[in-house]
Amino acid sequence: MGTLCVLIFAAHLTTTNMIGNTLVSILRAPGAWQALRDRPELIPGVLEEGLRFDAPVQGMTRTVTEDCQIRGVAIPRGARVFVLFGSANRDLPGVKDPERFELERADGPNLAFGRGPHFCVGAQLARMEGAIALEELTRRLRGARLAGDAPLSYAPNLVHRGPSALNVAWDVPTS
Ligand code: HEM
């Protein structure tokens, strides 16, 4: 039962937030929606950029198992640390202009699914689900754009980040 609960919680909110966060970034980037309708082959890369730019799992707590030093800071064995994947994603070596969301970024991997022996077991499933969602939404909704002036609201949560709601308008063909 415990394993099933972890799977359900680890898989559901994370994937929903990945889709929500990436949609926000796409809809805020001028011309991006139409570019993805014209070139759906960009979608896997855009999804990866969405994960980097606005990570659905912002961080996780970890217990340090041996004394270590990171950039001159001593971290003792047994310390509890909060590992910020979302912040590290804006600080990756070699990523130019990390504060920009780019439709065609070709940089290396990001840390949205963690790293090492506990790397997310559902990463490939989440990527497939995200790609299907973006393919279908961009294909079906012409001229999609954020609707209304109200700022987006986010649940107050240190780990999970995603919009509580997303108001979107699109063009309905008249004929
Ligand atoms: C966009 C969606 C998702 C994101 C952003 C995400 C993110 C993460 C992160 C950051 C970790 C911790 C990795 C580490 O400690 O280095 C993790 C672990 C895990 N994830 Fe995901 N995840 C997602 C989707 C899923 C899905 C779909 C499943 C299951 C079908 C899943 C199951 C798990 C499990 C079981 C772990 C624990 C792995 C371990 O401790 O060995 N996740 N995930």
Side-chain angles (χ1 to χ4, degrees):
M1 280 300 284
T3 305
L4 279 179
C5 286
V6 168
L7 272 179
I8 289 166
F9 284 108
H12 183 240
L13 186 58
T14 51
T15 307
T16 308
N17 284 341
M18 168 185 66
I19 294 168
N21 289 344
T22 307
L23 281 175
V24 170
S25 299
I26 294 169
L27 292 167
R28 281 180 174 160
W33 193 263
Q34 189 57 42
L36 294 178
R37 276 172 64 86
D38 294 341
R39 296 168 63 200
E41 68 275 12
L42 294 179
I43 285 174
V46 165
L47 201 62
E48 221 52 45
E49 174 67 343
L51 284 160
R52 182 199 69 81
F53 184 73
D54 202 355
V57 177
Q58 286 283 304
M60 273 191 189
T61 49
R62 288 284 180 255
T63 304
V64 177
T65 55
E66 55 190 67
D67 291 342
C68 59
Q69 271 219 353
I70 298 181
R71 294 193 185 169
V73 178
I75 307 177
R77 180 170 184 260
R80 296 282 284 163
V81 293
F82 192 55
V83 182
L84 283 165
F85 303 117
S87 166
N89 275 346
R90 303 275 185 110
D91 201 14
L92 296 168
V95 172
K96 282 195 200 123
D97 252 345
E99 304 298 332
R100 274 175 62 91
F101 173 82
E102 303 263 3
L103 270 197
E104 295 188 65
R105 198 181 272 285
D107 298 312
N110 62 67
L111 294 170
F113 292 111
R115 183 157 175 174
H118 291 283
F119 182 82
C120 175
V121 290
Q124 294 310 336
L125 174 63
R127 286 178 170 125
M128 278 172 63
E129 291 176 306
I132 291 169
L134 290 186
E135 275 162 28
E136 286 305 308
L137 286 167
T138 49
R139 186 176 66 78
R140 292 185 196 190
L141 307 182
R142 185 184 310 174
R145 56 208 173 266
L146 288 171
D149 300 327
L152 292 175
S153 72
Y154 290 79
N157 189 315
L158 273 180
V159 173
H160 294 285
R161 180 179 151 81
S164 312
L166 198 53
N167 291 327
V168 175
W170 61 90
D171 302 332
V172 179
T174 45
S175 56

